[in-house]
């Protein structure tokens, strides 16, 4: 089905063009016209792919989520328990330019999701996936004796999930607190509290 | 200087009108025209108070920040160390309808701050104030023996600051994780890790 592949490829090209514009000027200031131009499609040519900015920011967020998961899959190897959890968190954390840009996408996504039920559902679904995954790693960590036996897994996962969101905010709008070493020390300091 | 008082009062009225519109439809979808109408000023009449949406969201954020600090001042009484820290965090947490609405203001504020240096500076300044305050409470807690002597105060403050931001996101776009009891249990679970 080459037509479908082309469609998906073109969608991905548009997502990448959107991403670049967000980096330059933010999503709010970016128009569909500019995204069309940067994607090399005619004015109005975005419509078969994305009908509006809501759909576009949703697809861009999904792309960021998938990219994070791919990075984790590529480095996880045979890590289990706490080291796996740490590696997943580090892939989510905005520790390099690419991931700071991902954070710049996530903030306008939240703003849209606050007022668009489909985007809210997408956010709940993706975050649930990480929540389950972090919980599994933490349960493994407890079973393997990597953390204390009395660690409350659901509460600790809630801590980690606020960290997942909080570090995106810090990367974008508290840059003086966002150097990679400091963020990594923060994560490790938290994991130490569980040992 | 009654004229200045009137000016400030009118600004506050406009901020309240903005707040209400954000609750109803979000800040992005709200126009300056609608805010003018809801504030009872003529079209274009906002300009002496706020020249644009950037100034308005900045003032609204400052109002939320001040309101949180006032709530804390009102309930702090003679609390010191960990109980004071807990109370400040609870005032920041989106535990009731008013504070969920504050969270709905904070997310578009971040989005604007990402691309407006003045708003970014306002965000850094206000968050630094909380950072210092949380650090002082935590140092007091250590001195008073309310937390372990080996607690790394700057790292723990970084945990609390990611929580401050993370819970705003959760309140607005992960509502299934945002019930007040669960958020309070999360905070208390973290404080237990420091004891």
């Amino acid at each position: 089905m080459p037509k479908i592949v082309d469609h998906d490829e073109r969608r991905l090209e548009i997502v990448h063009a959107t991403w670049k514009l967000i980096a330059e000027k933010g999503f709010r200031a970016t128009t569909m016209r500019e995204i069309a131009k940067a994607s090399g499609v005619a004015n109005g040519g975005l419509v078969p792919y994305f009908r509006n900015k809501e759909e576009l920011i949703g697809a861009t967020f999904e792309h960021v989520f998938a990219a994070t998961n791919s990075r984790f899959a590529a480095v996880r190897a045979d890590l289990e328990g706490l080291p796996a959890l740490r590696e997943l968190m580090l892939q989510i954390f905005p520790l390099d330019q690419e991931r700071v840009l991902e954070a710049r996408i996530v903030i306008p996504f939240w703003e849209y999701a606050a007022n668009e039920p489909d985007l809210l559902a997408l956010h709940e679904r993706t975050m649930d996936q990480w929540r389950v995954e972090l919980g599994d790693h933490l349960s493994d960590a407890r079973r393997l004796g990597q953390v204390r036996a009395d660690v409350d897994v659901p509460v600790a996962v809630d801590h980690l999930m606020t960290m997942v969101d909080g570090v995106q905010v810090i990367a974008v709008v508290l840059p003086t607190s966002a150097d990679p070493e400091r963020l990594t020390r923060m994560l490790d300091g938290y994991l130490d509290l569980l040992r």
Side-chain angles (χ1 to χ4, degrees), chain A residues 43-72:
Chain A
N43 219 345
L46 290 183
V47 174
Y49 306 100
F50 303 103
R51 279 174 304 173
N52 49 41
K53 283 182 88 173
E54 283 77 357
E55 285 188 7
L56 192 47
I57 191 80
T60 306
F61 175 80
E62 276 190 290
H63 183 67
V64 165
F65 180 73
T68 306
N69 292 334
S70 299
R71 283 194 303 264
F72 175 61

Side-chain angles (χ1 to χ4, degrees), chain A residues 60-127:
Chain A
T60 306
F61 175 80
E62 276 190 290
H63 183 67
V64 165
F65 180 73
T68 306
N69 292 334
S70 299
R71 283 194 303 264
F72 175 61
V75 296
R76 179 180 177 177
D78 53 359
L79 298 178
E80 248 197 303
L82 212 58
L85 182 150
R86 179 175 186 272
E87 196 56 60
L88 175 56
M89 290 294 284
L90 289 178
Q91 294 305 327
I92 296 170
F93 270 36
L95 300 181
D96 59 29
Q97 225 180 347
E98 187 190 1
R99 284 175 282 166
V100 171
L101 178 47
E102 289 177 357
R104 287 178 67 88
I105 287 161
V106 167
I107 293 176
F109 171 73
W110 290 333
E111 219 257 297
Y112 277 80
N115 301 292
E116 300 287 339
D118 287 352
L119 296 182
L120 189 77
L122 167 63
H123 189 242
E124 290 268 13
R125 192 167 68 243
T126 50
M127 291 307 102

Side-chain angles (χ1 to χ4, degrees), chain A residues 133-151:
Chain A
E133 207 166 331
L134 291 169
D136 287 347
H137 293 316
L138 205 49
S139 298
D140 288 347
R142 205 168 55 177
R143 185 175 45 79
L144 295 166
Q146 297 167 340
V147 298
R148 288 198 314 268
D150 67 351
V151 163

Side-chain angles (χ1 to χ4, degrees), chain A residues 177-193:
Chain A
S177 304
D179 80 76
E181 270 173 49
R182 178 165 170 180
L183 294 179
T184 306
R185 202 161 56 236
M186 180 190 70
L187 175 62
D188 287 333
Y190 177 76
L191 300 181
D192 282 346
L193 292 174

